């Protein structure tokens, strides 16, 4: 049967990287989604069409009647490896392999730190399973998605795959195989703006770099990780009170700690400082770092100014609402 699956991207408000080591993180789905269409193929082959995975920095050159298009293949290829792994692990889990044509589209740029890889993985898992006539629970989809991220990245927390599966606004923490997901019943209507700067490193590189430092200097980096956990716990309380000033302060603290872990870059820091000096209550990198997105929180009346200033120093900016629905599966039964 033909299947259409969508899954949202996400922003990490607090706790990225530390979540890999058992600290809590606060994360919310955004209103941009990944779309996967799946159609069974009787010849048993698997084809993937991912032309529309939007990559920032596509360069189109017109010269003497010829058009040359250059893309950042370094970013596209990892996205394809999440797709491949998703098909491989799902067919192994179902103990069944069927031919399928998968068409993938994304409303978000790949590799921006907005959880595109997790959304691609989770939507592909569901699309592949349902197109073969199988049903999976959300728990199974999220679990398999996590396996895909671990296989591709080497190390991963279940944060991104959980939020894209369930959606909403959640606190997430895990220990070994036990995952605690708490849907935060808070007002998700936060005045935030995102700005994207060119990604210099992949998620995998950043996660492995932190792991390396932690194993060499556990006393120092371990304490930074613990402090990020403390900031996240305080942020949960501030969110419940909808205390924007305290949330801003905690975002700034979180960014400083991420910078000490070594995952920020000069460009990210420039956008963070520009956002703060134009009136944001707080700003931090969001996601794995090494480039990618900065998230700034502001009072609503200053949001436009903050966005304008951030746009000067970044590739693009966007506003988003938080807490959109998780994975959605639509099945078109053949007659
Ligand atoms: C990446 O979006 C978030 C990290 O914490 C890695 C992970 O949780 O797997 C950096």
């Amino acid at each position: 049967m033909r299947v259409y699956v969508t899954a949202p991207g996400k922003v990490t408000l607090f706790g990225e990287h530390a979540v890999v080591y058992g600290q809590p993180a606060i994360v919310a789905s955004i209103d941009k989604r990944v779309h996967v269409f799946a159609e069974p193929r009787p010849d048993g082959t698997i084809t993937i069409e991912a032309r529309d995975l939007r990559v920032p920095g596509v360069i189109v050159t017109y010269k003497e009647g010829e058009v040359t298009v250059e893309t950042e293949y370094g970013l596209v290829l990892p996205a394809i490896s999440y797709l491949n792994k998703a098909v491989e692990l799902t067919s192994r889990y179902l103990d069944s392999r069927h031919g399928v044509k998968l068409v993938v589209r994304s409303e978000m740029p790949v590799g921006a730190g907005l959880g595109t890889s997790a959304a691609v993985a989770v939507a592909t898992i569901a699309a592949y399973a349902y197109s073969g006539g199988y049903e999976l629970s959300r728990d199974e989809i999220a679990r398999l998605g996590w396996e895909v991220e671990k296989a591709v990245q080497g190390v991963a927390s279940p944060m991104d795959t959980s939020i894209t599966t369930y959606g909403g606004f959640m606190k997430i923490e895990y220990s070994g195989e036990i995952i605690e997901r708490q849907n935060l019943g808070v007002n998700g209507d936060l005045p935030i703006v995102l700005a994207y700067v060119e990604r210099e490193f992949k998620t995998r590189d950043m996660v492995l770099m932190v792991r390396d430092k932690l194993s060499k200097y556990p006393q120092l980096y371990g304490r930074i990780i613990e402090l990020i956990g403390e900031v996240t716990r305080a942020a949960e309380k501030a969110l419940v009170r909808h205390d924007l000033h305290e949330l801003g302060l905690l975002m700034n603290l979180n960014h400083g700690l991420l910078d000490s872990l070594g995952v920020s870059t000069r460009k990210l820091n420039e956008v963070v400082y520009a956002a703060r000096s134009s009136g944001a209550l707080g700003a931090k990198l969001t996601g794995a770092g090494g480039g990618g997105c900065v998230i700034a929180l502001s009072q609503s009346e200053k949001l436009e100014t903050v966005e304008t200033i951030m746009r000067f120093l970044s590739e693009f900016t966007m506003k988003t609402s938080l807490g959109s629905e998780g994975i959605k599966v639509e099945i078109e039964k053949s007659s």
Side-chain angles (χ1 to χ4, degrees):
M1 49 190 98
R2 281 152 54 108
V3 183
Y4 169 47
V5 185
T6 70
K10 64 102 222 277
V11 281
T12 312
L13 296 168
F14 294 94
E16 51 274 89
H17 284 289
V19 67
V20 176
Y21 304 99
Q23 298 295 335
I26 296 176
V27 64
S29 51
I30 61 174
D31 61 10
K32 300 277 180 289
R33 302 180 80 84
V34 159
H35 305 252
V36 177
F37 304 85
E39 186 171 16
R41 279 180 65 109
D43 64 1
T45 56
I46 296 173
T47 62
I48 295 171
E49 207 180 291
R51 269 180 299 177
D52 189 45
L53 278 185
R54 273 200 282 140
V55 184
V58 174
I59 305 159
V60 183
T61 325
Y62 298 88
K63 198 177 164 197
E64 289 158 16
E66 274 193 29
V67 183
T68 318
V69 182
E70 293 166 54
T71 58
E72 294 177 35
Y73 284 108
L75 292 178
V76 178
L77 291 178
I80 302 293
S81 37
Y82 287 92
L83 262 157
N84 275 338
K85 216 20 130 193
V87 171
E88 182 191 321
L89 295 192
T90 309
S91 58
R92 197 182 301 160
Y93 181 73
L94 299 171
D95 199 15
S96 153
R97 195 179 153 87
H98 60 277
V100 71
K101 177 183 175 190
L102 293 166
V103 181
V104 187
R105 285 200 302 113
S106 173
E107 296 169 22
M108 304 161 273
V110 184
L114 299 176
T116 334
S117 325
V120 164
V122 155
T124 305
I125 289 163
Y128 185 73
Y130 281 80
S131 65
Y134 296 91
E135 268 185 40
L136 293 176
S137 68
R138 285 190 171 210
D139 265 0
E140 286 175 301
I141 294 171
R143 173 73 53 179
L144 272 168
W146 186 22
E147 294 306 323
V148 171
E149 287 227 310
K150 282 193 278 191
V152 179
Q153 280 169 215
V155 193
S157 78
M159 175 176 75
D160 291 9
T161 40
S162 293
I163 192 69
T164 188
T165 305
Y166 293 95
F169 218 105
M170 86 179 24
K171 181 171 106 176
I172 181 146
E173 199 164 354
Y174 79 111
S175 165
E177 290 299 300
I178 312 290
I179 307 171
E180 272 182 51
R181 300 183 188 100
Q182 189 189 336
N183 208 333
L184 298 173
V186 296
N187 177 358
D189 193 14
L190 290 179
I192 60 158
V193 60
L194 291 163
Y196 173 78
V197 303
E198 197 182 325
R199 195 85 194 264
E200 294 167 39
F201 300 96
K202 297 195 280 282
T203 298
R204 177 188 160 85
D205 303 330
M206 301 316 290
V207 172
L208 294 182
M209 188 259 280
V210 172
R211 187 177 71 172
D212 200 42
K213 284 182 168 166
L214 195 56
S215 72
K216 280 195 188 121
Y217 307 100
Q219 298 297 331
L220 300 175
Y221 286 91
R223 280 157 82 179
I224 299 174
I225 297 286
E226 276 168 21
L227 261 177
I228 294 178
E230 285 300 307
V231 170
T232 304
R233 278 182 273 272
E236 183 188 354
K237 296 191 186 118
L239 262 174
V240 172
R241 292 197 309 275
H242 202 69
D243 183 339
L244 298 188
H245 281 92
E246 188 167 322
L247 280 172
L249 177 117
L250 293 166
M251 282 169 75
N252 291 342
L253 247 173
N254 196 164
H255 181 78
L257 294 167
L258 286 165
D259 200 13
S260 340
L261 281 183
V263 298
S264 193
T265 62
R266 180 180 172 161
K267 280 188 181 167
L268 285 172
N269 286 348
E270 279 169 4
V271 179
V272 162
Y273 280 93
R276 289 179 196 163
S277 51
S278 61
L281 297 170
K284 66 182 273 290
L285 71 85
T286 179
C293 281
V294 167
I295 179 173
L297 173 74
S298 150
Q299 276 148 335
S300 304
E301 58 276 14
K302 290 197 182 153
L303 202 60
E304 285 301 328
T305 314
V306 171
E307 182 171 14
T308 307
I309 302 293
M310 288 169 88
R311 197 177 298 133
F312 280 124
L313 293 167
S314 57
E315 311 248 332
F316 62 83
T317 57
M318 65 187 200
K319 295 196 196 72
T320 177
S321 61
L322 301 180
S324 66
E325 197 182 347
I327 193 167
K328 278 202 294 193
V329 180
E330 283 174 32
I331 299 168
E332 187 186 303
K333 293 215 165 75
S334 49
S335 46

